[in-house]
Amino acid sequence: MKDGKYIALVTGATGGLGTDMCKKLADDGYFVIANYRTDNKAEEWSAKMKAEGYSFAMAKADVSEYPQVVSMVEQIEKDHGVIDILVNNAGITRDGAFRKMSYENWDIVIRTNLYSSFNCSRAVINQMIDQQYGRIINISSVNGQRAQFGQGNYSAAKAGMHGLTKTLAIEVANKGITVNTISPGYIGTDMVMAVPQEYRDKIVANIPVGRLGGTYEVAHLVSFLASKEAAFITGANYAINGGQHVY
Ligand code: CAA
C-alpha cells in the first residue's frame, strides 16, 4: 500500500466517458494521468479541464501501438511512480455491415479496442505485482455481450476484452490486483450520438430505463472498482445498460 495518492491512468481520457472518469477519480483523491493521442484535442481538453478546476497530468501514446505504450508507462513511472489503477477506456467505432466491412476497419478497431488492453495491461502488470497492489478496469460494451448489427469488429474486440479480464484476473488474484470489466450500454457520448438518428431512436426505445446513460454513471462505477474496498471483486463483468441487456 502507498502512503501518498494512488496513481490512476485513464486511456482515451479526452473522450466522453474518459473525461468524467478523470474528474471522478480526481474528486475521489487519486492522482490522475490522462492518456491522449492527438495533441490539438488534448491541449483544448486540458485547458477546458483547468477552467473547471482540474489539473491532470497528460501522457501521449497511441494505445494500439505497444512500443508507444511502453515508452509512455516508463516515463510515467519516472515522473510520478508506479501506476496503481489502469482504466483501459480508449475505443473507437467503424460500424458497417460485415459483408461490406473493409479489412482496415476490422484491423483498426481490433487494434485500438483490444490490443490496447493487452498493451497497457502488459506494460503495468509486473510493477503492480512487485508492489502487490493494482486495479485494472477494462471498459467493454453491451455490444460485447450481445449482438449489434453493424458492429462485428467492435463486438469481437469488446468480447475479447472480457476474455482477457477473466484470465488475467485469476493469474494475479493472489497478488493484490483485481481485474474487472465494465460493459456500458448506450451512454450519451459523441460516439453514440454519431449513430444515425433512425437507428439510435430504435435503440433507445429498447432501453427499459427509457434514456441514454450518463457518463458520470459509468465514472461512478469505475471509481467503485478502483477503490481499496473492492478488493474481493475480480474477473467480474459489470453491466451498466439501463436494462437493455439482462442475462
Ligand atoms: N438490424 C437488422 N437489419 C438491419 C439493421 C439492424 N439493426 N440495420 C440495417 N439493417 C438492414 C437494412 O434494413 C438493410 O436491409 P436490406 O439490405 O435488406 O435492404 C441493410 O441492413 C442495410 O445494410 P447497409 O450495410 O446498407 O446498412 P446501413 O448503411 O443502412 O446501416 C449501420 C448499417 C451503419 C451499421 C447501421 O445499422 C447502424 O448505424 N446501426 C447502429 C450501430 C450501432 O448501434 N452502433 C453503436 C455505436 S455506439 C457504441 O458502440 C458504444 C457502445 O458501446 C454501445
Side-chain angles (χ1 to χ4, degrees):
M1 291 284 166
K2 291 194 174 179
D3 295 334
K5 282 188 172 187
Y6 284 82
I7 297 175
L9 172 66
V10 177
T11 70
T14 60
L17 285 176
T19 300
D20 265 11
M21 288 173 194
C22 290
K23 289 182 183 176
K24 174 69 177 151
L25 290 169
D27 291 346
D28 289 350
Y30 296 89
F31 179 81
V32 178
I33 302 170
N35 157 261
Y36 68 96
R37 188 176 51 170
T38 315
D39 287 324
N40 291 349
K41 191 176 172 195
E43 278 159 27
E44 265 174 43
W45 182 83
S46 194
K48 187 164 177 281
M49 291 301 105
K50 282 200 179 109
E52 292 180 30
Y54 292 96
S55 181
F56 300 121
M58 303 294 289
K60 182 174 181 175
D62 178 339
V63 288
S64 69
E65 300 288 343
Y66 187 58
Q68 288 191 35
V69 170
V70 170
S71 305
M72 173 182 73
V73 168
E74 282 173 1
Q75 194 60 48
I76 290 171
E77 282 171 5
K78 263 190 225 145
D79 294 345
H80 307 291
V82 171
I83 293 161
D84 302 292
I85 291 115
L86 166 66
V87 187
N88 285 314
N89 167 65
I92 59 169
T93 51
R94 293 288 185 276
D95 293 353
F98 185 78
R99 66 180 186 278
K100 293 194 291 193
M101 186 175 287
S102 65
Y103 175 80
E104 287 71 25
N105 281 349
W106 168 263
D107 187 55
I108 195 170
V109 168
I110 300 292
R111 282 194 295 110
T112 307
N113 298 8
L114 179 58
Y115 276 45
S116 56
S117 286
F118 167 83
N119 294 341
C120 297
S121 305
R122 182 66 186 79
V124 303
I125 197 71
N126 282 312
Q127 292 82 343
M128 286 183 176
I129 291 171
D130 288 346
Q131 68 171 9
Q132 296 280 295
Y133 189 81
R135 299 277 181 267
I136 296 178
I137 302 166
N138 285 322
I139 307 301
S140 178
S141 166
V142 65
N143 295 340
Q145 300 180 298
R146 55 155 220 163
Q148 172 57 54
F149 189 100
Q151 287 206 304
N153 48 5
Y154 187 87
S155 293
K158 294 297 190 178
M161 275 181 121
H162 187 55
L164 174 61
T165 289
K166 290 188 285 188
T167 287
L168 185 53
I170 63 159
E171 288 190 10
V172 296
N174 64 352
K175 306 202 169 4
I177 303 167
T178 68
V179 187
N180 289 292
T181 298
I182 294 176
S183 291
Y186 284 72
I187 311 295
T189 58
D190 290 348
M191 183 187 272
V192 167
M193 297 319 278
V195 173
Q197 189 161 0
E198 67 169 302
Y199 294 113
R200 203 174 61 240
D201 287 349
K202 279 188 203 145
I203 289 163
V204 176
N206 282 310
I207 301 175
V209 167
R211 62 169 173 86
L212 295 174
T215 49
Y216 59 95
E217 291 172 307
V218 179
H220 183 69
L221 182 51
V222 167
S223 177
F224 167 67
L225 289 173
S227 68
K228 288 200 293 286
E229 292 76 8
F232 203 56
I233 303 170
T234 199
N237 189 352
Y238 277 73
I240 174 164
N241 62 39
Q244 185 186 9
H245 178 62
V246 290
Y247 59 99

